[in-house]
Amino acid sequence: DIQLTQSPSFLSASVGDRVTITCRASQGISNYLAWYQQKPGKAPKLLIYAASTLQSGVPSRFGGSGSGTEFSLTISGLQPEDFTTYYCQQLNRYPLTFGGGTKVEI
Amino acid sequence: EVQLVESGGGLVQPGGSLRLSCAASGFTFSDHYMDWVRQAPGKGLEWVGRIRNKANSYTTEYAASVKGRFTISRDDSKNSLYLQMNSLKIEDTGVYFCTRVAGTTWSTAVVDSWGQGTLVTVSS
């Protein structure tokens, strides 16, 4: 199975900061990677797919990059509603797998 | 508007069975692959499995942790997705989400819609 390692697991930041979350795959997955945001008690929400394509309706302060085994999610100008948990998921090979999550805290 | 509504969760003893259902609306259900994703209390997301559409012979994929115990099925005439869970273990406890897969190619086969989830508790 393809393992996804997210770092950091926890990230402290302030409103207006630019933050980057990294997702490393145990083997190459081309650009078949998605990022999700999950707020407490809610279902996750798709932010980015194909490593860098912004899902419709997602604010442009969210950006994704990477290919192969190294990927990143960048939030430029953190807003209060962005302080929550983020997950990456690889879509290259079954079984599909998620990263362990990154919690962005104030 | 895409709506996915899960039902069927509850308390079950280890070794028991449970069948989850998901009622879909707001889109052409028969066109889409569908996934189940679960989340143990306080933990991260775990992909459970996928069922493809009729054009792809309703074939399925499963996580190793559930293969042989869980079965995903669908009824396109009822716009419904199902998850039959047998030989349940304590570690199967969690919220189970019904999800829609956006497209059918590798680059677009990403989950773009989620239900609210249904809680399954496996305990004696």
Side-chain angles (χ1 to χ4, degrees):
Chain A
D1 297 3
I2 296 175
Q3 312 301 321
L4 294 181
T5 303
Q6 280 186 240
S7 60
S9 298
F10 296 91
L11 190 160
S12 293
S14 300
V15 173
D17 283 355
R18 174 187 170 99
V19 298
T20 297
I21 299 168
T22 297
C23 180
R24 179 178 290 111
S26 59
Q27 56 187 277
I29 58 171
S30 185
N31 69 333
Y32 298 130
L33 188 101
W35 290 97
Y36 298 90
Q37 176 193 66
Q38 186 179 30
K39 297 186 177 180
K42 300 294 187 182
K45 170 188 173 183
L46 176 64
L47 298 176
I48 287 167
Y49 63 96
S52 60
T53 302
L54 200 64
Q55 173 69 350
S56 175
V58 174
S60 59
R61 63 180 180 272
F62 291 93
S65 65
S67 182
T69 60
E70 295 280 338
F71 301 86
S72 62
L73 172 70
T74 298
I75 311 171
S76 301
L78 273 170
Q79 297 300 300
E81 61 268 29
D82 300 336
F83 290 91
T84 189
T85 303
Y86 297 85
Y87 295 93
C88 57
Q89 183 194 26
Q90 67 83 15
L91 308 162
N92 181 70
R93 186 170 298 179
Y94 295 107
L96 307 184
T97 47
F98 287 92
T102 295
K103 186 173 183 179
V104 179
E105 302 172 310
I106 296 178
Chain B
E1 178 194 4
V2 173
Q3 285 204 324
L4 300 167
V5 180
E6 302 93 338
S7 60
L11 175 64
V12 60
Q13 292 188 337
S17 297
L18 208 58
R19 188 195 197 206
L20 304 184
S21 299
C22 172
S25 61
F27 65 102
T28 305
F29 179 76
S30 58
D31 285 348
H32 288 263
Y33 297 1
M34 299 292 291
D35 285 2
W36 286 97
V37 176
R38 68 184 180 183
Q39 188 168 35
K43 302 297 184 183
L45 300 170
E46 181 184 13
W47 179 80
V48 172
R50 170 171 290 178
I51 186 166
R52 298 180 180 88
N53 56 13
K54 181 178 181 181
N56 290 278
S57 304
Y58 299 127
T59 52
T60 53
E61 307 284 349
Y62 296 95
S65 59
V66 307
K67 198 168 187 177
R69 299 188 299 122
F70 288 13
T71 301
I72 300 174
S73 61
R74 63 192 294 166
D75 185 338
D76 290 348
S77 68
K78 296 181 178 179
N79 288 345
S80 292
L81 176 72
Y82 305 101
L83 179 64
Q84 177 66 44
M85 304 185 293
N86 298 331
S87 303
L88 281 161
K89 305 176 182 180
I90 291 175
E91 52 264 39
D92 294 319
T93 294
V95 174
Y96 283 71
F97 294 101
C98 165
T99 73
R100 184 185 81 163
V101 179
T104 58
T105 65
W106 279 105
S107 61
T108 63
V110 61
V111 167
D112 68 346
S113 299
W114 300 66
Q116 83 288 350
T118 188
L119 177 63
V120 173
T121 303
V122 184
S123 175
S124 55

